[in-house]
Amino acid sequence: LAQPNTFTVTTGHQLNLFTGPLYFLYKIFSVINLAEQLQKRYPKAQFVPVYWMATEDHDFDEINYFNFQGRKFGWDRSSGGAVGELTTEGLEDVLQVFTKAMGPGDRATHLAKLFERAYVRHQNLADATRYLGNELFKAYGLVIVDGNDPGLKTSFVPFAKKEITEHLSHSHVTKTTEALEQVGYKKQVHPREINLFYLKAGLRERIVEKDEQFHVNDTQISFSREDLLQEMEIHPERFSPNALLRPLYQEVILPNLCYTGGGGELAYWFQLKDYFEAVEVPFPVLLLRNSVLLVDKKYGEKLEKLEMPLPKLFLKQLQLTNEYTHQLSDIDIDFSAQRKHLQQQFEALHDLATRTDRSFEGAVAAQEKKQLNGLDHLEKRLLKAQKRKLADRIQRLLMIQDALFPGQSLQERQSNFSEFYLEYGDRLFSA
């Protein structure tokens, strides 16, 4: 990383328990694949995939569980401050329940040992997540970064000081956001006057300015401007960027070409472009992460028998049911021809109505609406009748959709990798 011809491609993610939902894997493989492609195209340079751990996040309720085979495995404990510093106390209990749920088998034993080595043998969540990430991706040269590090924070101090003295992020991000909103963009993050947190054991609170003093929100801690700037020099590790400044911190630290993230992440990066220019830090290429649906071979074969193309499963269940009923039905459920014929008949009546009084014209319009509504009602009744007749095939299709879209949500946002590892083993990481 110290070499001038080395570049990184980066993604970031929270410290979800046992990786959380599947898209944690997809984000990391997106940067691994991109680094490999760049390496082939530009062999004289070096390209390193990076996973930036969100160790300074404090949203514990978003990360303290994972789903396995439709069941939630949660870590119940009190929390406060940066999640990366949380001790792993209590995760032995989660391991016992999870091990029992997996049942016997070599792959289940491997997953249990992986969980134990990560979360029982390490003292805090940051170290546990780093170990787990390295074990899963060590074959691909992934570098894992913990931003909650005094050495790295030291490099960010000049920008943190500007945040206190010049409020550059607030002014520039506000200006960019207003311009984006004029073309229909909905802002993702709201810039504050100061976009920094104060960080200590069990504490991560916003820094706010009031009456020429800088206060740590909801505490008795306060500083003068001079004292706060001196605190940054002496204890850089005590200052944590919020969601708005974290991208800048990342780009200051790394020789980064590209950031890969989800749609929501990239949307708030858009708000930062002018701010990056103001502080003279290169703005990276933004790349939407890959999105994946894992489909077991048996489900693929069942879909073929049901004559249903896979993309249709992304429809809402009611729409999928209606379309499949239309597809299977040997009766034409579409009454469009009847509506057209009825409207043509009423055209003559409307013409007649224009030559008499308005009350007759209103009666014709009301009768037309009534008969069209009647056709709509009959069409719905026919559709409902055909659904009952074809219920067996429809139910088989919906069972597949429910399996691939747990809770009618994207698989990658619900399921944990472990249930697929039990089925595919290491092939899950090499296919």
Side-chain angles (χ1 to χ4, degrees):
L1 291 175
Q3 300 303 313
N5 68 333
T6 298
F7 304 95
T8 62
V9 287
T10 305
T11 193
H13 198 71
Q14 295 171 297
L15 308 187
N16 294 75
L17 184 61
F18 211 44
T19 76
L22 273 164
Y23 72 90
F24 169 84
L25 272 65
Y26 304 155
K27 293 174 82 170
I28 292 178
F29 270 122
S30 289
V31 294
I32 289 172
N33 291 337
L34 178 58
E36 291 178 352
Q37 292 166 14
L38 289 170
Q39 195 65 64
K40 290 178 181 178
R41 185 171 295 185
Y42 305 101
K44 293 183 180 180
Q46 298 293 327
F47 300 93
V48 179
V50 171
Y51 160 43
W52 184 288
M53 297 192 297
T55 53
E56 297 176 82
D57 194 5
H58 58 268
D59 295 320
F60 180 68
D61 291 343
E62 295 181 3
I63 67 167
N64 67 338
Y65 68 94
F66 65 95
N67 297 315
F68 174 77
Q69 295 180 346
R71 181 179 170 186
K72 183 176 180 178
F73 292 79
W75 179 23
D76 186 17
R77 59 155 296 162
S78 59
S79 64
V83 295
E85 297 178 350
L86 290 175
T87 67
T88 52
E89 181 183 358
L91 284 172
E92 306 95 335
D93 298 332
V94 178
L95 172 59
Q96 290 180 12
V97 178
F98 179 46
T99 301
K100 185 176 180 181
M102 285 191 293
D106 291 342
R107 290 170 181 169
T109 300
H110 173 74
L111 288 174
K113 287 182 178 178
L114 183 63
F115 191 104
E116 190 267 338
R117 289 168 181 165
Y119 294 103
V120 179
R121 299 190 188 183
H122 289 87
Q123 297 299 310
N124 61 55
L125 191 56
D127 290 344
T129 304
R130 177 167 39 224
Y131 174 85
L132 179 62
N134 187 63
E135 285 300 301
L136 294 177
F137 299 101
K138 60 186 177 183
Y140 303 102
L142 180 72
V143 169
I144 301 174
V145 176
D146 180 356
N148 191 17
D149 176 89
L152 298 180
K153 290 283 184 69
T154 299
S155 300
F156 190 64
V157 165
F159 301 92
K161 286 184 175 181
K162 282 189 175 184
E163 183 67 9
I164 296 297
T165 59
E166 302 180 41
H167 304 305
L168 287 178
S169 65
H170 180 266
S171 59
H172 285 279
V173 172
T174 299
K175 180 180 177 182
T176 304
T177 303
E178 289 173 352
L180 288 169
E181 287 180 320
Q182 291 179 4
V183 293
Y185 168 88
K186 294 181 180 180
K187 61 184 173 185
Q188 301 294 308
V189 288
H190 303 271
R192 300 183 183 276
E193 290 290 336
I194 299 174
N195 292 284
L196 291 171
F197 287 89
Y198 190 71
L199 190 66
K200 275 190 173 181
L203 173 71
R204 186 176 186 254
E205 289 288 346
R206 292 190 295 114
I207 299 172
V208 295
E209 184 178 7
K210 184 179 181 181
D211 300 328
E212 298 184 355
Q213 286 287 111
F214 294 86
H215 305 271
V216 179
N217 200 41
D218 292 334
T219 74
Q220 299 299 314
I221 304 171
S222 63
F223 301 91
S224 67
R225 175 173 295 192
E226 292 73 21
D227 288 343
L228 185 62
L229 297 178
Q230 185 177 19
E231 179 87 345
M232 288 181 173
E233 289 286 349
I234 299 172
H235 296 290
E237 73 280 2
R238 293 181 180 176
F239 296 87
S240 173
N242 70 356
L244 200 69
L245 287 196
R246 192 209 68 79
L248 179 72
Y249 178 30
Q250 170 189 297
E251 297 304 309
V252 167
I253 299 303
L254 298 172
N256 198 47
L257 291 178
C258 175
Y259 183 78
T260 299
E265 287 180 279
L266 301 191
Y268 76 73
W269 275 79
F270 295 159
Q271 296 175 241
L272 305 177
K273 184 69 164 61
D274 292 335
Y275 173 53
F276 270 69
E277 291 182 3
V279 294
E280 299 181 335
V281 173
F283 193 76
V285 173
L286 301 179
L287 182 66
L288 186 65
R289 69 168 175 84
N290 289 329
S291 188
V292 179
L293 174 66
L294 296 174
V295 182
D296 190 276
K297 184 179 180 181
K298 66 180 180 182
Y299 288 131
E301 292 173 348
K302 288 180 179 179
L303 287 173
E304 286 186 12
K305 291 180 180 178
L306 292 171
E307 299 179 5
M308 174 55 61
L310 180 61
K312 289 287 187 180
L313 293 188
F314 285 85
L315 296 173
K316 297 293 184 182
Q317 196 156 90
L318 178 60
Q319 186 180 357
L320 176 65
T321 301
N322 289 344
E323 289 197 14
Y324 194 49
T325 304
H326 279 271
Q327 177 182 323
L328 295 178
S329 177
D330 54 3
I331 301 172
D332 188 2
I333 305 174
D334 185 359
F335 281 9
S336 297
Q338 288 85 344
R339 287 190 190 87
K340 185 177 180 181
H341 178 67
L342 184 62
Q343 287 168 334
Q344 288 173 344
Q345 288 182 316
F346 271 93
E347 283 180 8
L349 288 174
H350 283 299
D351 184 57
L352 177 64
T354 59
R355 297 196 294 254
T356 183
D357 62 35
R358 288 188 175 181
S359 63
F360 183 68
E361 188 175 353
V364 171
Q367 188 63 28
E368 180 183 19
K369 183 177 181 180
K370 180 179 179 180
Q371 294 199 28
L372 286 172
N373 287 341
L375 278 177
D376 290 342
H377 179 68
L378 288 173
E379 185 179 77
K380 290 177 182 177
R381 289 287 299 271
L382 178 59
L383 177 62
K384 191 174 182 179
Q386 289 299 92
K387 285 181 181 178
R388 288 196 297 269
K389 180 180 178 181
L390 302 167
D392 180 62
R393 294 184 71 180
I394 292 172
Q395 192 58 38
R396 278 184 280 158
L397 176 63
L398 296 184
M399 287 177 63
I400 296 173
Q401 189 191 46
D402 287 338
L404 297 179
F405 294 81
Q408 288 296 291
S409 179
L410 290 177
Q411 177 195 77
E412 63 181 30
R413 290 192 168 275
Q414 295 294 322
S415 302
N416 183 261
F417 84 95
S418 54
E419 59 186 89
F420 295 95
Y421 187 88
L422 290 179
E423 180 73 21
Y424 303 112
D426 290 336
R427 284 191 301 147
L428 182 65
F429 292 86
S430 60

